[in-house]
Amino acid sequence: MTRKTLIFSAAALALAVVLGGCGPQIDKTAAAQKPLTPQGALSLSNVVSSQLAPLVLGGADYLLLASEKRGLVLVSAEGEEKLALDGGKVERFALQQLEQDRWLIAVYDEDSAQLQLRLLDLEQGSPRIRYLAAMATTAPQVALCFSRQAERTHLFAIDENGLGQEYVVHPREQAWEFTGVRPLYFGEQVSSCTVDDHSGKLLVAQPPLGIWSLNSDAEMDEDRQVFATPAELGDGEFGGLWLDSASGNLWLTSGERVLAFNINVPGKPHFVESLADMEPVSAAVQRGSLLALEEESDRVQQFAVKLPEPAAEIQAFRGPVEIPRVRASGQTAPVQSGGDAADDPAIWVNPANPSASLILGTDKKSGLSVYKLSGELVEHFPVGRVNNVDLRPIQHGKYVAIAAASNRTDPGISLFGITGEGKVEDLGLRSLDMGDPYGLCVYRRGADLMAWVSDKDGPVQLLQIVPGEGNVDWRLQKVAELDVKSQVEGCVVDDEMQMLFFGEEDGGIWRLDIAAFLAGEAKPQLIAPVDGERLAADVEGMGLYHAGDNSYLVVSSQGNNSYALFSRDGSQFVGHFKVDINLDKSLDGSSETDGLEVSSASFGDQYPQGLLVVQDGRNRMPSQTQNFKLVSWADIAETLQLK
């Protein structure tokens, strides 16, 4: 076990002990009831099983069992064997219904040390199991569970050392594939897992610590919490998690008992029964009866019990409102710095050859990076802790565009010149009378090049960038100052309308008529408040998509990992979307986005209607340092049915 895992496990154990001491306890009256005696049993032949799960095929009830001698065994609800795999030693499997009469199975085969995918379906009315794919593993897998996300199937697999992996499992021409998404760390003694797709929670049993709950979506914060502590589960081994999604009941075993929890209510179980003369390791419900299986057993015991009613919230459940998803089209190379480093992009459109345009992206721990549209790194300028970057064309003898980036190392603005050939040159730092330069956006006012720069703990300054002939004689001239109520980072200016839009991270989107403000006749207006749905705090990056009457203000809504589109003046909400996985290109989606930029220029076949570039706070598939994701505007327009 690594030092990191040991530290985490020790901290988790301490947390579980504290929670166990003060949390709700099992009803001692219920726990002291007379043990249940079986009302019947299904006798199996040479199965030696430690896991069972019910399923339906062709309208008939079946049980699937892991077999240490025969791989997988399928029996009818009456115990009649219907089929088995030839050979293999299987102790754990995951089961997911793809559609009616089609079930996906993941197993860990100890003999071959492989994760395997199988398909259970019907052939001429009879059950059959077909091979789909296999992948070698470096350690035995002790917990497997499926999740359904955005019409994709995800598999969580946790090994005996407590190292988990999330995969997307998906069909290809010849066989299914395992595409790695992210690692997960638990420590030793994990016994089982399951996923509640309604709430998007992954539940992991880890004796003696308890049952963990964490987000199953890799693009969200892990948000690991204790679902049930040892005080609710008992001192012995517990696990065998099985979720009855129709009722919202989470079933598991602990010692000689079977427990059920309301999946939406962490803490005390609402069903506790002891079983006579057995210590089950797997339990489920079928045909109104409780089924229980001992470790390495050939007998499934059946118990007549009063089952808990479906949870009220499950009965009324209508499902969450799903935000539309648009697949990523490309990505940049990862930034050099680890942790929260990538922040804000800008797009330089090469007027002579749009396909040779550039993306500028800040690494707020080290400097500014320049990328091709393919995502390849062209150059990195180690100029310090640059936060936001923006650029505009300029009439100049040497440069066709100027980029400016707020620099927090030595408070000021780093300037960069871009030549007609696409070469970026560092023009140096221009100091500011500001404590901590943060947000920045550049615009043109007639022939003048202007910039708004926010102080992280102070007002926003309006500056003029005064050109020079050489690299050293460019300067900044302060024009005005705008007082704001709280922290401002994201901003963008509509040059034609001379309108500033800026984001108050916890408040919403503000709009300011610049000319009227400079004349002393206007103050900022809050035009789109944070509401937790269309716009969820923090409000971060902003960009303007210019296409005449079909122009939009695009804003990163960090709190729900989405991107909100508003009308050009910001007054009307148009729609929102998330950037999703693109399995064809082995790209993950984006989440926790800080900065973004968008352009309506045609960049060729891949981006014919323009390009959106967003910072990705969690770079997966595989897990790497942060980067920037590229999205085709044509895909956005199609998904949101824009004009």
Side-chain angles (χ1 to χ4, degrees):
M1 188 187 301
T2 65
R3 181 176 181 272
K4 177 179 179 181
T5 304
L6 284 168
I7 292 172
F8 174 80
S9 296
L13 178 57
L15 175 63
V17 169
V18 171
L19 292 174
C22 63
Q25 305 294 311
I26 291 177
D27 187 338
K28 297 184 184 303
T29 302
Q33 290 177 352
K34 183 179 179 180
L36 293 174
T37 57
Q39 302 298 304
L42 304 179
S43 295
L44 311 173
S45 176
N46 198 33
V47 173
V48 188
S49 179
S50 297
Q51 184 185 354
L52 60 78
L55 59 92
V56 177
L57 272 175
D61 291 319
Y62 292 89
L63 280 178
L64 184 67
L65 298 110
S67 173
E68 295 190 26
K69 292 189 175 182
R70 303 161 64 199
L72 291 169
V73 176
L74 184 72
V75 301
S76 69
E78 295 74 31
E80 180 184 354
E81 185 173 313
K82 294 299 182 180
L83 61 83
L85 292 180
D86 295 328
K89 182 179 180 180
V90 174
E91 291 188 5
R92 297 287 179 267
F93 65 83
L95 183 66
Q96 183 185 68
Q97 187 170 15
L98 298 177
E99 55 192 41
Q100 185 175 352
D101 296 334
R102 295 182 77 243
W103 294 82
L104 185 65
I105 307 169
V107 303
Y108 174 69
D109 180 21
E110 292 189 23
D111 288 344
S112 63
Q114 289 181 331
L115 269 176
Q116 298 179 355
L117 292 177
R118 305 276 179 165
L119 181 67
L120 172 61
D121 62 3
L122 294 174
E123 183 179 35
Q124 297 180 349
S126 298
R128 64 173 178 174
I129 295 180
R130 291 186 287 160
Y131 171 88
L132 296 179
M135 181 181 67
T137 65
T138 57
Q141 306 295 299
V142 296
L144 302 171
C145 48
F146 282 120
S147 170
R148 194 70 177 164
Q149 302 179 30
E151 305 304 316
R152 293 185 306 272
T153 297
H154 292 236
L155 173 66
F156 292 92
I158 306 171
D159 69 24
E160 64 181 7
N161 301 312
L163 176 61
Q165 294 287 343
E166 179 183 358
Y167 304 96
V168 178
V169 291
H170 52 105
R172 289 299 191 195
E173 294 182 2
Q174 302 300 323
W176 282 51
E177 289 186 4
F178 296 80
T179 298
V181 177
R182 60 168 166 167
L184 293 161
Y185 305 96
F186 295 97
E188 295 177 351
Q189 301 186 82
V190 168
S191 62
S192 56
C193 66
T194 191
V195 176
D196 176 28
D197 286 330
H198 286 170
S199 63
K201 296 297 184 182
L202 166 65
L203 297 158
V204 178
Q206 188 179 18
L209 302 181
I211 298 175
W212 299 107
S213 168
L214 54 154
N215 284 323
S216 57
D217 187 343
E219 297 296 351
M220 298 179 67
D221 286 333
E222 190 177 276
D223 192 25
R224 189 175 305 210
Q225 300 180 17
V226 177
F227 179 86
T229 71
E232 286 83 49
L233 300 169
D235 298 330
E237 291 293 314
F238 53 82
L241 299 180
W242 178 75
L243 178 63
D244 183 358
S245 57
S247 68
N249 289 316
L250 174 68
W251 293 85
L252 64 146
T253 63
S254 177
E256 76 284 355
R257 298 171 305 152
V258 174
L259 294 75
F261 289 80
N262 179 337
I263 191 65
N264 295 306
V265 184
K268 187 175 181 178
H270 61 169
F271 177 94
V272 181
E273 291 285 359
S274 295
L275 307 185
D277 301 323
M278 71 176 301
E279 291 191 2
V281 295
S282 183
V285 172
Q286 187 179 58
R287 292 185 174 183
S289 296
L290 174 65
L291 306 180
L293 181 71
E294 286 190 287
E295 189 171 4
E296 299 181 352
S297 175
D298 277 336
R299 181 180 294 267
V300 178
Q301 303 282 15
Q302 300 170 310
F303 298 85
V305 295
K306 179 176 174 54
L307 299 173
E309 294 293 328
E313 58 267 42
I314 292 294
Q315 296 181 36
F317 185 76
R318 294 294 181 269
V321 176
E322 179 66 22
I323 297 176
R325 294 173 181 254
V326 180
R327 297 195 306 171
S329 303
Q331 66 180 349
T332 67
V335 297
Q336 295 182 6
S337 304
D340 185 19
D343 194 87
D344 188 49
I347 302 171
W348 175 67
V349 180
N350 186 326
N353 182 10
S355 63
S357 299
L358 299 173
I359 298 168
L360 280 62
T362 61
D363 179 336
K364 59 189 177 186
K365 295 183 178 181
S366 71
L368 183 77
S369 296
V370 181
Y371 307 93
K372 297 180 180 179
L373 292 182
S374 64
E376 177 186 347
L377 178 66
V378 176
E379 190 171 7
H380 179 75
F381 295 95
V383 295
R385 298 167 54 229
V386 291
N387 202 71
N388 280 30
V389 62
D390 200 5
L391 60 83
R392 284 294 187 273
I394 190 172
Q395 296 293 328
H396 188 271
K398 184 176 181 181
Y399 303 115
V400 298
I402 294 296
S406 55
N407 196 319
R408 303 169 70 184
T409 299
D410 295 311
I413 293 180
S414 293
L415 296 177
F416 302 87
I418 305 174
T419 69
E421 295 75 28
K423 180 175 176 56
V424 181
E425 297 181 3
D426 180 11
L427 301 181
L429 178 74
R430 302 299 179 271
S431 297
L432 282 178
D433 182 17
M434 183 177 290
D436 191 0
Y438 198 50
L440 176 144
C441 49
V442 179
Y443 74 104
R444 294 200 62 82
R445 186 181 67 183
D448 296 332
L449 188 63
M450 312 295 293
W452 291 93
V453 185
S454 69
D455 192 331
K456 190 169 185 179
D457 298 311
V460 180
Q461 293 186 15
L462 175 60
L463 309 169
Q464 181 178 353
I465 302 173
V466 181
E469 294 299 326
N471 289 3
V472 297
D473 52 357
W474 292 68
R475 59 188 177 88
L476 303 178
Q477 180 175 311
K478 185 175 177 180
V479 176
E481 188 170 279
L482 172 66
D483 289 327
V484 291
K485 295 181 178 180
S486 64
Q487 190 174 97
V488 169
E489 181 176 10
C491 66
V492 68
V493 175
D494 187 327
D495 294 25
E496 181 181 351
M497 301 296 182
Q498 291 292 289
M499 200 73 67
L500 167 69
F501 300 90
F502 63 89
E504 181 188 2
E505 293 189 352
D506 296 327
I509 303 171
W510 294 78
R511 182 179 65 197
L512 177 68
D513 184 323
I514 299 174
F517 166 72
L518 293 176
E521 300 172 355
K523 294 182 178 181
Q525 295 177 300
L526 181 63
I527 56 173
V530 166
D531 60 9
E533 295 181 4
R534 298 184 301 180
L535 202 59
D538 287 349
V539 177
E540 293 283 349
M542 293 185 175
L544 280 165
Y545 180 85
H546 289 287
D549 293 336
N550 300 318
S551 298
Y552 302 96
L553 173 66
V554 186
V555 181
S556 65
S557 175
Q558 194 178 75
N560 58 6
N561 296 321
S562 72
Y563 307 89
L565 265 66
F566 294 84
S567 57
R568 179 176 178 176
D569 65 358
S571 63
Q572 294 183 339
F573 175 76
V574 176
H576 54 180
F577 63 94
K578 293 184 176 183
V579 176
D580 199 21
I581 289 173
N582 187 331
L583 289 174
D584 293 335
K585 296 183 178 180
S586 297
L587 300 172
D588 68 310
S590 66
S591 58
E592 209 173 44
T593 290
D594 287 327
L596 62 78
E597 186 56 282
V598 63
S599 172
S600 61
S602 176
F603 296 98
D605 293 341
Q606 190 169 7
Y607 307 108
Q609 296 179 30
L611 169 67
L612 172 68
V613 181
V614 302
Q615 182 261 1
D616 183 11
R618 302 181 184 90
N619 189 17
R620 312 290 195 185
M621 299 175 58
S623 294
Q624 296 176 298
T625 58
Q626 296 177 344
N627 71 347
F628 299 91
K629 294 295 187 291
L630 283 62
V631 187
S632 171
W633 188 267
D635 294 339
I636 297 170
E638 180 180 1
T639 300
L640 298 186
Q641 298 182 343
L642 304 177
K643 293 180 182 180

